[in-house]
């Protein structure tokens, strides 16, 4: 077993777990105990100075990698799967565009939605969240238009890529959090291409295994997720 995934339940590390499962890469996971603040411990900060999951260690090469998008690209390049190769320049260009957009905009906004108080404090959270919901709706509209114009069912047309898992994770968090003010499900359900993509994603065995591994056994992971806090949890 040469890959190690440092994770906590239902967090950004889950996107990496779905990709690992889809790629069929053997890995073991190491729970980061956020209840005791392990993410801030000197040992974990050596792996990621920002104190965030996911972190993946490739024990064969000694590479320690954080940042969801970087890890997804690393795993895709390692296996030659779930991303167009660099020889396919047009395909790779579309892929990179989505990977970066997911990372620096869609995931970033999902985090502001999830952790609003961390960004603006408690007094302003209620004023910021409607704006973030608007932004998420715009992002999902962009996905819908892209698939409509380029053909689906996935972001890259008929080829599943790590970007689809990343999109699934972002939509899931946005529909779940915060418990009393998540994104209106219509933002997803009114967009048939997006809805079909997510419906296909959640029937995949890899996705089911990834959720089961964290003790999450819902019937709909992406289209109607139950609120599950991003904490250590009981799953493992
Ligand atoms: N930009 C990072 C963000 C990772 C991140 O924010 N992880 C969250 C979980 S979703 C985390 O580890 N939070 C720990 C904490 O807030 O203490 C990435 O893409 O991996």
């Amino acid at each position: 077993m040469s890959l190690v995934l440092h994770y906590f339940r239902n967090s950004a590390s889950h996107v990496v777990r779905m990709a690992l499962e889809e790629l069929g890469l053997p890995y073991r996971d190491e729970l980061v105990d956020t209840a005791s603040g392990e993410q801030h411990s000197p040992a974990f900060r050596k792996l990621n100075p920002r104190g965030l999951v996911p972190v993946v260690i490739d024990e064969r090469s000694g590479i320690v990698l954080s940042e969801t998008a970087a890890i997804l690209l690393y795993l895709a390049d390692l296996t030659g799967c779930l991303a167009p190769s660099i020889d396919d320049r047009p395909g790779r260009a579309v892929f990179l565009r989505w990977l970066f957009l997911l990372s620096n905009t869609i995931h970033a906004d999902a985090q502001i939605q999830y952790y609003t108080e961390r960004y603006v404090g408690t007094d302003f959270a209620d004023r910021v969240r409607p704006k973030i919901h608007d932004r998420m709706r715009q992002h999902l509209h962009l996905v819908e238009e892209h698939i409509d114009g380029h053909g689906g069912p996935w972001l890259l047309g008929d080829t599943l890529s790590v970007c689809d898992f990343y999109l699934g994770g972002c939509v899931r968090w946005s529909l779940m959090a915060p418990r009393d003010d998540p994104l209106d499900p219509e933002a997803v359900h009114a967009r048939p291409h997006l809805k079909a993509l997510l419906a296909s994603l959640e029937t995949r065995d890899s996705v089911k295994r990834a959720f089961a591994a964290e003790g999450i056994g819902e019937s709909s992971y992406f289209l109607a997720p139950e609120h599950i806090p991003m904490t250590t949890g009981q799953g493992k």
Side-chain angles (χ1 to χ4, degrees):
M1 191 92 59
S2 62
L3 292 170
V4 184
L5 170 66
H6 290 260
Y7 83 104
F8 62 85
R9 193 183 190 210
N10 202 32
S11 70
S13 53
H14 195 264
V15 171
V16 172
R17 191 191 287 278
M18 288 189 281
L20 285 165
E21 290 289 344
E22 182 70 32
L23 289 164
L25 284 167
Y27 69 99
R28 70 169 198 276
D29 59 22
E30 292 277 347
L31 179 66
V32 178
D33 181 11
T34 51
S36 69
E38 190 189 343
Q39 70 273 35
H40 306 302
S41 67
F44 189 76
R45 293 261 176 184
K46 262 192 202 164
L47 303 178
N48 182 0
R50 297 193 67 216
L52 302 172
V53 299
V55 170
V56 161
I57 303 177
D58 186 340
E59 292 179 323
R60 278 172 310 187
S61 58
I63 288 171
V64 179
L65 199 54
S66 54
E67 289 299 316
T68 306
I71 296 169
L72 292 175
L73 187 55
Y74 180 80
L75 296 177
D77 287 349
L78 195 67
T79 54
C81 297
L82 293 182
S85 86
I86 50 173
D87 299 328
D88 171 11
R89 284 186 188 278
R92 186 82 170 181
V94 177
F95 165 75
L96 288 175
R97 183 252 186 165
W98 278 107
L99 186 63
F100 279 76
L101 188 68
L102 281 156
S103 174
N104 68 24
T105 303
I106 303 179
H107 186 181
D109 281 353
Q111 283 193 295
I112 296 173
Q113 189 187 321
Y114 209 103
Y115 295 125
T116 314
E117 284 76 8
R118 287 192 189 175
Y119 289 82
V120 296
T122 45
D123 290 351
F124 294 101
D126 288 347
R127 286 163 64 181
V128 169
R129 211 165 291 116
K131 304 274 179 212
I132 287 293
H133 287 168
D134 280 348
R135 285 176 61 87
M136 289 306 289
R137 273 188 283 272
Q138 285 165 21
H139 303 328
L140 299 183
H141 186 65
L142 193 71
V143 169
E144 185 69 11
E145 280 194 324
H146 169 79
I147 299 178
D148 199 41
H150 295 81
W154 308 113
L155 281 170
L156 304 189
D158 56 9
T159 311
L160 176 71
S161 76
V162 289
C163 293
D164 299 299
F165 294 105
Y166 206 173
L167 175 65
C170 292
V171 170
R172 174 177 165 82
W173 301 319
S174 196
L175 292 180
M176 262 179 25
R179 186 191 291 273
D180 57 352
D181 191 15
L183 183 68
D184 176 358
E186 267 310 284
V188 175
H189 289 255
R191 300 195 158 90
H193 296 299
L194 173 66
K195 194 175 168 186
L197 186 158
L198 296 170
S200 300
L201 207 57
E202 64 188 14
T203 62
R204 298 187 81 78
D205 288 343
S206 58
V207 170
K208 290 181 186 167
R209 283 197 302 273
F211 279 101
E214 298 190 7
I216 301 170
E218 309 160 53
S219 55
S220 178
Y221 306 117
F222 303 117
L223 292 168
E226 280 169 36
H227 179 88
I228 297 176
M230 278 187 206
T231 56
T232 296
Q234 316 79 1
K236 304 264 308 181

